[in-house]
Each structure stands twice: as C-alpha cells, then as structure tokens.
C-alpha cells in the first residue's frame, strides 16, 4: 500500500480543484482512495455538501470602484492574506511520502492557515518547525481529539503550546467513527509504518465488562462532554475552537463557555449520513451567536464562489480537506500550493465580479436561494 513519490509537476489538464481527484485516484491504492474519498452510509451528506453551495446563486453588483481591493482578513486576532485554511486530515503520508511536512511548506508558501490533525503521520513539533520558519506563513493550529487518557490529552496540549501552535481545534462530532461502507468494502487498514505518531505512549483503554454494550459502555464511556471542554478551557492559554457544530443550541452553549470560535462542519460527510449540509447550518449558527464568535465552515468547498457564499452567510474563513490531499497525492507539495492559489484567485475573481472590494463588502444580499429570493432581503 506504499505510495510512490508524486512527480513534481502539475498535470496540464488541472485547472480547478476537482481535476486533482481523478489523478489522485489513478495514483493511489484502491483501499487508500476509498478511505480518503469516501463518506458515511450512502454518502448523502457527502454529496449534499457540494450541492448545497451550488444551489445558492449569486446576484452580482456592477460599476463599483474596486481599486486597492484585497482578500486580507483576521481570525482570532491573527492576520491572514486570504480566508482559506487547510482542514485537519489524518495520515498525510498515505497520499505522499512527504506527508504533513510537504503540506506545511506549501501552506506557508501560500500564506494559508493550517490545522494539523492529532492523527498526523508526522510529529507535531516537526510540522510546527517547518511551517513557522517559513516567512509570510498564516496561522498554525492544532486539532485535538480529547483522548480517554486525559493526562495524555493535556500533555498533547502542552506540546502544541511549546511548539508554537496558536490555537486548539477540538473535534466534537466524532465520538465514534461513522459507518463508512465504501471504506469497509475496500478493507482499508492503516499501514503499520504510518502510525499516528503523536498518540504514541498513550495508556490503553480499559475493556468494557463482558455483556455490556461495546459502543455505549466502551468507546462512548470515554467520549468528550461539555465538562471536558470546560476543563480544557481552564488548562490552556490558547484560543479554543470547536469543530463539528451544526445545532444552534450547541453553538450557544459553546459561547457561554467562552469558546472563541466554531467550525461549522459535518466531518465531510464521514460520520453521520443524512446530517444537514454545512451551507444550510452556517447561517443558522451565525444567527444564534451573533458577532461574538469567529465562524469557519468546511464541507464541499470547491470553488472561489463557494468561499464568497460562505463569507456572505456569516463565516470568517473556510477550510478545505479532500482537495489538497488529492493534490498532494498527484503533485506533492507543489500540488497543495497550486490548490490554494487556484482557490484564492477564484475568490478574488468572484469578488471583482460581484462588486466586492474587500471581504467586508461581502453580504447576504448577494445571494439567491434557488431563485426564491435574496437570502439577505
């Protein structure tokens, strides 16, 4: 299941993000492709994420003065050249031997923010050193699954703090894996040589008593709760962002705990199939929390127009996941940088063609939902 190094060139027929998918599929082992590209169940949520952005239409403005326009923004007090970040994805070395280090160099070169997965195949310290030593880099955040070994979890937090990570992203929507049929049909297993190195040394989880439910009395007995979020909040100086919030009541509860940001996400359709699309959930979360929380959204973002729509619906930034992993598999770090450049350029084009000089000019009045009327009307 080993992956040969990708050629350090971009295929001539790649002109937008989705073009990388077919090249990646051709290069990767079928089981790895199933793991990276698949979703839960019938993959309805996976499909709905993209369709939801596509169903929103743009109502452009013309003859605006746009000289001096830009895509700059801030997030958690950190400056970004553009509102596009790389989502946490496990085991980058499944796609390319350079793994997370290649991704880090590419993201830093394109001034993009990066969120490193707890389940990375490279130590978090190595990624931090590679990313933060590059001039012009964007924010570097650490994604965290709260482990059953809470002491080990706190040790991970201390390592991230010491390595220069600027925020913690706590994934809250995956206390158990989804029923990923495509992955199971392909019999995917993580190769031993691609161990999740940041989790080495953690205590083994206790086996549930005989006759008990293996899910509810096993895995879920150690699942993260709001009490754990409050405990983490009290034990780190880093800003905290919750990833995987779709319900307005959960957003309000996070707000009450002093959480600084939310990522509106359904885990890329990989956990609960038929969960709502992120484009549907985003404006409802924005309405629930007002201006007090920074909002980020992922799930199906494939075009610069999708980024503009997300910002119009209340997000301050977006995450992409699968597209940059496909690009990594196809062209290594160069492919990742290319994906970020394509999306940033498309966003700038969309802004110019809708009359938006800066991100602050993007608003719901630019959007039409399936011809039924302006969303911001």
């Amino acid at each position: 299941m080993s992956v040969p190094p990708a050629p350090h060139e971009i295929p001539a027929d790649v002109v937008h993000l989705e073009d990388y998918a077919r090249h990646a599929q051709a290069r990767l082992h079928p089981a790895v492709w199933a793991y990276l590209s698949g979703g839960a169940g019938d993959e309805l949520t996976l499909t709905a994420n993209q369709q939801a952005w596509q169903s929103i239409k743009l109502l452009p403005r013309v003859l605006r003065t746009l000289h001096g326009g830009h895509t700059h923004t801030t997030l958690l007090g950190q400056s970004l050249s553009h509102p596009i970040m790389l989502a946490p994805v496990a085991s980058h070395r499944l796609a390319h031997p350079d793994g997370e280090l290649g991704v880090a160099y590419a993201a830093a070169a394109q001034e993009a923010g990066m969120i490193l997965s707890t389940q990375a195949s490279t130590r978090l310290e190595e990624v931090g050193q590679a990313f933060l030593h590059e001039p012009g880099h964007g924010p570097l955040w650490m994604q965290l699954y709260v482990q059953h070994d809470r002491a080990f979890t706190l040790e991970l937090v201390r390592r991230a703090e010491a390595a220069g990570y600027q925020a913690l992203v706590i994934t809250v929507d995956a206390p158990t894996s989804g029923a990923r049929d495509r992955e199971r049909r392909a019999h995917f297993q993580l190769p031993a040589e691609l161990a999740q190195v940041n989790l080495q040394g953690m205590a083994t989880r206790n086996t549930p008593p005989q006759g008990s439910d293996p899910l509810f009395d096993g895995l879920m007995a150690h699942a993260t709760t709001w009490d754990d979020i409050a405990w983490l909040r009290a034990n780190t100086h880093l800003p905290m962002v919750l990833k995987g919030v779709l319900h307005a009541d959960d957003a309000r509860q996070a707000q009450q705990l002093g959480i600084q940001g939310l990522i509106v996400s359904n885990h890329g359709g990989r956990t609960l199939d038929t969960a709502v699309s992120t484009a549907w959930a985003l404006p409802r979360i924005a309405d629930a929390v007002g201006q007090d929380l920074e909002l980020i959204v992922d799930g199906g973002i494939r075009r610069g127009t999708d980024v503009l729509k997300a910002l119009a619906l209340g997000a301050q930034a977006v995450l992409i996941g699968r597209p940059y992993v496909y690009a990594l598999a196809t062209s290594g770090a160069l492919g990742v940088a290319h994906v970020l450049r394509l999306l940033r350029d498309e966003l700038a084009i969309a802004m110019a063609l809708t009359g938006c000089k800066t991100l602050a000019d993007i608003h719901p009045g630019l959007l039409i939902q399936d011809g039924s009327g302006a969303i911001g009307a």
Side-chain angles (χ1 to χ4, degrees), residues 146 150 223-235 240 253 257:
V146 177
R150 297 304 194 256
T224 309
T225 67
W226 287 107
D227 288 341
D228 294 307
I229 300 301
W231 167 74
L232 272 177
R233 183 79 181 85
N235 279 280
M240 281 178 51
Q253 190 157 354
L257 280 177

Short mmCIF file of all heavy atoms in Angstrom, two decimals, residues 146 150 223-235 240 253 257:
data_model
loop_
_atom_site.label_atom_id
_atom_site.label_comp_id
_atom_site.label_asym_id
_atom_site.label_seq_id
_atom_site.Cartn_x
_atom_site.Cartn_y
_atom_site.Cartn_z
N VAL A 146 -10.07 14.76 22.19
CA VAL A 146 -9.85 14.52 23.61
C VAL A 146 -9.80 13.01 23.82
O VAL A 146 -10.75 12.29 23.51
CB VAL A 146 -10.97 15.16 24.46
CG1 VAL A 146 -10.77 14.83 25.94
CG2 VAL A 146 -10.99 16.67 24.25
N ARG A 150 -6.93 11.39 29.89
CA ARG A 150 -6.98 12.85 29.98
C ARG A 150 -5.61 13.44 30.27
O ARG A 150 -5.29 14.55 29.80
CB ARG A 150 -8.00 13.29 31.04
CG ARG A 150 -9.46 12.91 30.76
CD ARG A 150 -9.94 13.42 29.41
NE ARG A 150 -11.38 13.36 29.27
CZ ARG A 150 -12.06 12.46 28.56
NH1 ARG A 150 -11.41 11.50 27.92
NH2 ARG A 150 -13.38 12.49 28.49
N ALA A 223 -16.20 9.31 25.93
CA ALA A 223 -16.42 10.36 24.94
C ALA A 223 -16.37 11.75 25.60
O ALA A 223 -16.71 11.92 26.77
CB ALA A 223 -17.75 10.16 24.24
N THR A 224 -15.97 12.72 24.81
CA THR A 224 -15.85 14.10 25.28
C THR A 224 -17.22 14.66 25.64
O THR A 224 -18.21 14.43 24.95
CB THR A 224 -15.22 14.97 24.18
OG1 THR A 224 -14.02 14.33 23.73
CG2 THR A 224 -14.89 16.36 24.69
N THR A 225 -17.28 15.42 26.72
CA THR A 225 -18.51 16.11 27.14
C THR A 225 -18.21 17.60 27.31
O THR A 225 -17.06 18.04 27.23
CB THR A 225 -19.03 15.55 28.47
OG1 THR A 225 -18.09 15.89 29.52
CG2 THR A 225 -19.18 14.02 28.41
N TRP A 226 -19.26 18.35 27.59
CA TRP A 226 -19.08 19.78 27.84
C TRP A 226 -18.17 20.02 29.05
O TRP A 226 -17.44 21.02 29.10
CB TRP A 226 -20.43 20.46 28.05
CG TRP A 226 -21.22 20.61 26.78
CD1 TRP A 226 -22.34 19.91 26.42
CD2 TRP A 226 -20.93 21.51 25.70
NE1 TRP A 226 -22.76 20.32 25.17
CE2 TRP A 226 -21.93 21.30 24.71
CE3 TRP A 226 -19.95 22.47 25.48
CZ2 TRP A 226 -21.96 22.02 23.52
CZ3 TRP A 226 -19.97 23.19 24.29
CH2 TRP A 226 -20.97 22.96 23.32
N ASP A 227 -18.20 19.10 30.02
CA ASP A 227 -17.31 19.25 31.18
C ASP A 227 -15.84 19.18 30.74
O ASP A 227 -14.99 19.89 31.28
CB ASP A 227 -17.60 18.16 32.21
CG ASP A 227 -18.91 18.38 32.95
OD1 ASP A 227 -19.42 19.52 32.93
OD2 ASP A 227 -19.43 17.40 33.54
N ASP A 228 -15.54 18.31 29.77
CA ASP A 228 -14.17 18.22 29.27
C ASP A 228 -13.76 19.50 28.55
O ASP A 228 -12.60 19.93 28.64
CB ASP A 228 -14.03 17.03 28.32
CG ASP A 228 -14.22 15.70 29.03
OD1 ASP A 228 -13.53 15.48 30.03
OD2 ASP A 228 -15.06 14.90 28.58
N ILE A 229 -14.70 20.08 27.81
CA ILE A 229 -14.39 21.34 27.12
C ILE A 229 -14.08 22.43 28.14
O ILE A 229 -13.11 23.20 27.97
CB ILE A 229 -15.56 21.75 26.21
CG1 ILE A 229 -15.84 20.68 25.15
CG2 ILE A 229 -15.28 23.10 25.57
CD1 ILE A 229 -14.66 20.38 24.24
N ALA A 230 -14.86 22.50 29.21
CA ALA A 230 -14.61 23.48 30.26
C ALA A 230 -13.26 23.22 30.93
O ALA A 230 -12.51 24.17 31.24
CB ALA A 230 -15.73 23.45 31.29
N TRP A 231 -12.92 21.95 31.13
CA TRP A 231 -11.63 21.59 31.73
C TRP A 231 -10.47 22.03 30.84
O TRP A 231 -9.50 22.63 31.32
CB TRP A 231 -11.60 20.07 31.95
CG TRP A 231 -10.25 19.52 32.27
CD1 TRP A 231 -9.57 19.64 33.44
CD2 TRP A 231 -9.42 18.75 31.38
NE1 TRP A 231 -8.34 18.99 33.34
CE2 TRP A 231 -8.24 18.43 32.10
CE3 TRP A 231 -9.57 18.29 30.08
CZ2 TRP A 231 -7.21 17.69 31.52
CZ3 TRP A 231 -8.56 17.54 29.52
CH2 TRP A 231 -7.39 17.25 30.24
N LEU A 232 -10.58 21.77 29.55
CA LEU A 232 -9.53 22.21 28.63
C LEU A 232 -9.42 23.73 28.60
O LEU A 232 -8.31 24.29 28.58
CB LEU A 232 -9.82 21.70 27.21
CG LEU A 232 -9.29 20.33 26.83
CD1 LEU A 232 -9.75 19.98 25.42
CD2 LEU A 232 -7.77 20.29 26.92
N ARG A 233 -10.56 24.37 28.60
CA ARG A 233 -10.60 25.84 28.56
C ARG A 233 -9.82 26.42 29.74
O ARG A 233 -9.15 27.45 29.62
CB ARG A 233 -12.06 26.31 28.60
CG ARG A 233 -12.26 27.80 28.49
CD ARG A 233 -12.15 28.29 27.07
NE ARG A 233 -12.33 29.73 27.01
CZ ARG A 233 -11.33 30.61 27.19
NH1 ARG A 233 -10.11 30.21 27.44
NH2 ARG A 233 -11.56 31.91 27.13
N ALA A 234 -9.90 25.73 30.88
CA ALA A 234 -9.22 26.21 32.09
C ALA A 234 -7.75 25.82 32.12
O ALA A 234 -7.01 26.29 33.00
CB ALA A 234 -9.92 25.66 33.32
N ASN A 235 -7.31 24.97 31.19
CA ASN A 235 -5.96 24.43 31.25
C ASN A 235 -5.09 24.79 30.06
O ASN A 235 -4.05 24.15 29.82
CB ASN A 235 -6.01 22.91 31.41
CG ASN A 235 -6.24 22.48 32.83
OD1 ASN A 235 -5.33 22.46 33.65
ND2 ASN A 235 -7.50 22.17 33.15
N MET A 240 -9.57 28.54 21.85
CA MET A 240 -10.17 27.24 21.54
C MET A 240 -11.30 27.38 20.53
O MET A 240 -12.14 28.28 20.62
CB MET A 240 -10.68 26.56 22.81
CG MET A 240 -9.58 25.90 23.62
SD MET A 240 -10.14 25.15 25.16
CE MET A 240 -11.51 24.13 24.61
N GLN A 253 -24.20 27.11 23.65
CA GLN A 253 -23.54 26.56 24.84
C GLN A 253 -22.04 26.79 24.77
O GLN A 253 -21.40 27.11 25.78
CB GLN A 253 -23.85 25.07 24.98
CG GLN A 253 -23.40 24.47 26.31
CD GLN A 253 -24.15 23.21 26.68
OE1 GLN A 253 -25.11 22.83 26.00
NE2 GLN A 253 -23.74 22.57 27.76
N LEU A 257 -19.49 29.05 27.36
CA LEU A 257 -18.26 28.54 27.97
C LEU A 257 -17.04 29.40 27.63
O LEU A 257 -15.94 29.11 28.11
CB LEU A 257 -18.00 27.11 27.52
CG LEU A 257 -18.79 26.00 28.21
CD1 LEU A 257 -18.46 24.65 27.59
CD2 LEU A 257 -18.49 25.99 29.72
#
